[in-house]
Amino acid sequence: MTTVLTPASPLTAADRCDRCGAQAYLRVVLLSGGELLFCAHHGRKFEPELKKIAAEIQDESERLTAPKATPDEER
Ligand SMILES: [Zn+2]
């Protein structure tokens, strides 16, 4: 292991929440060096706890609410 910080890579559909297995939108790098993945739901739920133990929180949950390329058409 090195202590060099690597640029955060975007989360992908292959990244899964450690709690429920849904697609992960938060990556939490722990002060202890570990890494946790959470979906938006669990990321919010555990956020107060995570902030105590996280060295870094990568939050991509805003992608959930971003406008989609193919919006539903209103009829
Ligand atoms: Zn989850």
Side-chain angles (χ1 to χ4, degrees):
M1 293 291 287
T2 71
T3 55
V4 176
L5 290 175
T6 54
S9 55
L11 294 165
T12 71
D15 292 311
R16 295 288 159 177
C17 174
D18 288 336
R19 293 288 165 164
C20 69
Q23 183 173 346
Y25 285 94
L26 276 91
R27 173 186 282 129
V28 181
V29 180
L30 302 176
L31 294 170
S32 59
E35 191 177 278
L36 295 172
L37 297 172
F38 292 103
C39 65
H41 171 78
H42 283 114
R44 259 190 284 279
K45 183 176 180 180
F46 294 116
E47 189 177 25
E49 296 299 314
L50 294 174
K51 282 184 172 172
K52 297 176 193 169
I53 59 172
E56 184 182 340
I57 297 179
Q58 179 184 351
D59 184 349
E60 296 190 6
S61 61
E62 63 189 24
R63 287 193 300 158
L64 281 173
T65 54
K68 294 186 179 177
T70 56
D72 292 333
E73 288 186 36
E74 286 190 52
R75 302 191 181 193

